[in-house]
Amino acid sequence: EAGVTQSPTHLIKTRGQQATLRCSPISGHTSVYWYQQALGLGLQFLLWYDEGEERNRGNFPPRFSGRQFPNYSSELNVNALELEDSALYLCASSQQRGLTEAFFGQGTRLTVV
Amino acid sequence: GENVEQHPSTLSVQEGDSAVIKCTYSDSASNYFPWYKQELGKRPQLIIDIRSNVGEKKDQRIAVTLNKTAKHFSLHITETQPEDSAVYFCAAGLFMDSNYQLIWGAGTKLIIKP
């Protein structure tokens, strides 16, 4: 069974540009979560999608947005990039809404210069 | 809202000794408590979880205990080995406004000294 896959693995952008990160969940998983992990720090919750709808978002500005497609894959878009957006962005999927294991992708390392 | 505090931020133990990482949560409605391990350069992976109807759960060298009254839960690793070196994250799960949410601790860097 294929795991959660993210693309690209690395992304370098300049300040003010837009970044698009992609996530494909495990087959059969309907929930997708996005997290930001700054270097040496913990997991900060960004967004949660389930069945194509945004269910919850973390304490991030509106320039962080995303969507979930009918096949449950997801995109994270970051507009007007700032230097402090440089981080590892992790996507996780789970089989159902709620109390179950979340499987993480390998992450996209975004560097803003 | 829910808040999860994790201690210590860094833990260094001698190989073969035990390691204990503690988390406290604020919302008594939290009912799911997973622990994830993230090795250097790798993705976080679930190592053990516990639900609020259970006080303790073991899986070989790792165990998790939950004290609902005190609102804290702990990860115990016995007979530590070099491969246990990693960052460990705890989380508390609860339903908020009809949505399920995992609230994460800040992580503990565990260093196993040879």
Side-chain angles (χ1 to χ4, degrees):
Chain A
E1 176 185 272
V4 178
T5 58
Q6 292 185 245
S7 63
T9 53
H10 294 84
L11 188 58
I12 300 175
K13 293 285 187 178
T14 57
R15 194 167 47 181
Q17 284 189 312
Q18 180 201 37
T20 298
L21 288 63
R22 297 179 177 83
C23 173
S24 292
I26 290 173
S27 177
H29 287 191
T30 62
S31 276
V32 171
Y33 305 84
W34 286 96
Y35 296 92
Q36 182 195 66
Q37 187 175 35
L39 191 62
L41 299 179
L43 299 167
Q44 302 298 319
F45 168 68
L46 271 163
L47 290 160
W48 169 32
Y49 293 95
D50 183 63
E51 298 281 357
E53 294 187 16
E54 182 181 301
R55 299 295 181 179
N56 209 351
R57 66 178 292 129
N59 190 25
F60 280 83
R63 59 190 185 83
F64 286 84
S65 65
R67 54 180 172 167
Q68 187 178 34
F69 299 98
N71 66 353
Y72 303 119
S73 66
S74 178
E75 260 182 15
L76 173 69
N77 295 294
V78 188
N79 294 320
L81 285 165
E82 300 178 1
L83 297 178
E84 51 265 35
D85 296 333
S86 295
L88 180 68
Y89 288 83
L90 289 163
C91 163
S93 75
S94 67
Q95 191 169 25
Q96 62 186 26
R97 190 189 308 185
L99 306 176
T100 186
E101 179 178 359
F103 292 83
F104 283 83
Q106 82 283 3
T108 292
R109 172 71 63 186
L110 173 64
T111 303
V112 183
V113 297
Chain B
E2 173 66 288
N3 182 53
V4 176
E5 294 190 357
Q6 184 171 347
H7 299 282
S9 56
T10 304
L11 178 61
S12 183
V13 301
Q14 203 71 38
E15 182 179 349
D17 288 349
S18 295
V20 180
I21 302 170
K22 298 180 180 179
C23 288
T24 60
Y25 59 98
S26 59
D27 195 324
S28 57
S30 293
N31 53 9
Y32 175 61
F33 308 93
W35 285 89
Y36 283 76
K37 175 184 180 182
Q38 187 178 27
E39 296 178 44
L40 189 63
K42 296 188 177 181
R43 69 194 75 187
Q45 290 188 299
L46 180 74
I47 54 171
I48 196 167
D49 58 11
I50 193 168
R51 301 178 191 274
S52 59
N53 59 345
V54 176
E56 184 177 6
K57 184 176 179 180
K58 288 184 180 180
D59 183 5
Q60 299 181 9
R61 293 187 299 108
I62 61 173
V64 56
T65 58
L66 171 64
N67 184 324
K68 287 193 294 181
T69 303
K71 291 189 282 188
H72 68 71
F73 56 111
S74 300
L75 177 70
H76 304 253
I77 305 174
T78 59
E79 300 173 9
T80 52
Q81 299 170 5
E83 53 264 36
D84 295 329
S85 293
V87 177
Y88 292 80
F89 293 97
C90 66
L94 79 162
F95 278 96
M96 295 186 298
D97 299 326
S98 302
N99 292 322
Y100 172 75
Q101 182 67 68
L102 269 179
I103 310 298
W104 296 86
T108 296
K109 184 175 183 179
L110 177 61
I111 301 167
I112 307 301
K113 297 181 291 185

